[in-house]
């Protein structure tokens, strides 16, 4: 962190601030006296220093960070890629994992049927929402705990580990017991109480990017989970809000190389929620693989027109099989193998 002092501030006042910073924050401060003003360089762990408070000091002109505020998620302190193990399925490293399944669990027949289809096509994890974050309170809210039980039946039938979204801290115990990968949805990316609580689980976390969040805000949310003790975090780009209204969201493929540079955590892409239209899912999925994603999350439904949620963006099992066939040689070309 660098502090630029106002022109004309005397050495005595500078030394008072230096002593205060060293005492209060355990950092070492170097002073450079320029022609017009002095600059303080803070060395040490500055993550917990409140920049806004510092800039309230009458002698301070400007405060700048030269280090990222995230530590545990930072690639600088952890150069190698993290590989997250989801009940035996590796996410990250040289593997490409495909998470597939319906937006929401609707019935035993539906979830077991889709699970068998996606497993046969090469998916490595089964998704299905039991608790749904819907814009309208009158829309289908999910089957709740019963939905998790049906996911477990589908897991027993296929061997696929299961992924489902948690919406509130009070469900932590339930998800710890039932689910292999706990999803924190876009709408809850900055629900800090929830992040702290899932940070205490032993299960890995799939952290989706918020609807309008920057890379740094997203990584800071991962940092919350990691700081609470759970370092098994997978990031998921699912499109962000832009001025474009043709698609549901705009898939931000720049996120993949950017996150790779900023963090060591694995990153997967959800083209379904980005596009909002089934026919865009395959090209966007291919692009995600080509730009270096560690995997995909794709919505698949046995009867999209009758889906209780997100039918328009859901692939049929046939279209999903087509996607997997297209994807296979591309994944190989990228030097990876399907998980
Ligand atoms: C979902 O995966 O079903 C979902 C609601 O996604 P998102 O949080 O990205 O909108
Ligand atoms: Mn959905």
């Amino acid at each position: 962190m660098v502090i630029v002092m106002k022109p004309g501030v005397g050495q005595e006042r500078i030394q008072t601030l230096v002593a205060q910073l060293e005492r209060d924050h355990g950092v070492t401060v170097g002073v450079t006296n320029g022609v017009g003003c002095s600059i303080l360089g803070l060395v040490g762990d500055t993550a917990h220093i409140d920049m806004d408070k510092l800039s309230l000091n009458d002698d301070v002109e400007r405060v700048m960070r030269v280090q990222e505020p995230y530590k545990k998620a930072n690639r600088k302190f952890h150069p190698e890629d993290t590989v997250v193990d989801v009940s035996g399925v590796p996410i990250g490293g040289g593997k490409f994992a495909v998470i597939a399944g319906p937006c929401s669990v609707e019935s035993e027949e539906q979830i077991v049927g889709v699970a068998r289809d996606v497993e046969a096509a090469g998916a490595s994890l089964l998704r299905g929402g039991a608790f749904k974050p819907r814009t309208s309170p009158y829309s289908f809210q999910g089957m709740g705990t019963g939905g998790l039980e049906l996911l477990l039946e589908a897991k027993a039938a296929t061997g696929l580990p299961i992924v489902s979204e948690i919406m509130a801290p009070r469900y932590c115990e339930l998800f710890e017991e039932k689910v292999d990968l706990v999803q924190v949805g876009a709408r809850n990316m900055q629900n800090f109480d929830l992040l702290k609580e899932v940070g205490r689980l032993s299960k890995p976390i799939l952290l989706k990017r918020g609807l309008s969040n920057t890379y740094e805000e997203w990584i800071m949310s991962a940092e919350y989970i990691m700081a609470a003790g759970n370092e098994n975090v997978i990031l998921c780009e699912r499109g962000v809000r832009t001025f474009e209204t043709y698609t549901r969201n705009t898939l931000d493929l720049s996120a993949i190389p950017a996150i790779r540079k900023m963090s060591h955590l694995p990153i997967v892409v959800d083209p379904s929620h980005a596009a909002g239209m089934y026919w865009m899912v395959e090209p966007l999925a291919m692009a995600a693989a080509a730009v270096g994603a560690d995997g995909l999350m794709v919505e698949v439904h046995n009867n999209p027109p009758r889906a209780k949620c997100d039918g328009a963006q859901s692939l049929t099992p046939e279209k999903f099989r087509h996607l997997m066939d297209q994807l296979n040689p591309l994944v190989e070309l990228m030097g990876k193998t399907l998980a």
Side-chain angles (χ1 to χ4, degrees), residues 103 127 132-133 165 183 185-187 208 238 273 299:
C103 183
R127 65 152 285 150
K132 294 303 304 176
E165 177 171 351
Q183 178 174 329
R187 288 154 197 80
K208 293 190 117 184
R238 44 80 71 204
H273 288 88
E299 285 189 342

Side-chain angles (χ1 to χ4, degrees), residues 29-86:
V29 184
V31 183
T32 309
N33 294 308
V35 183
C37 66
S38 299
I39 292 171
L40 314 188
L42 280 62
V43 180
D45 184 5
T46 58
H48 58 284
I49 300 181
D50 186 337
M51 288 172 64
D52 292 339
K53 243 189 217 166
L54 271 182
S55 47
L56 283 178
N57 186 315
D58 284 338
D59 294 338
V60 169
E61 176 77 39
R62 212 142 62 94
V63 185
M64 290 166 289
R65 275 201 188 281
V66 291
Q67 236 179 21
E68 299 82 8
Y70 46 94
K71 296 274 170 280
K72 288 178 179 288
N74 199 326
R75 167 106 37 204
K76 274 189 199 142
F77 309 117
H78 188 296
E80 13 8 283
D81 289 338
T82 283
V83 180
V84 175
D85 181 291
V86 182

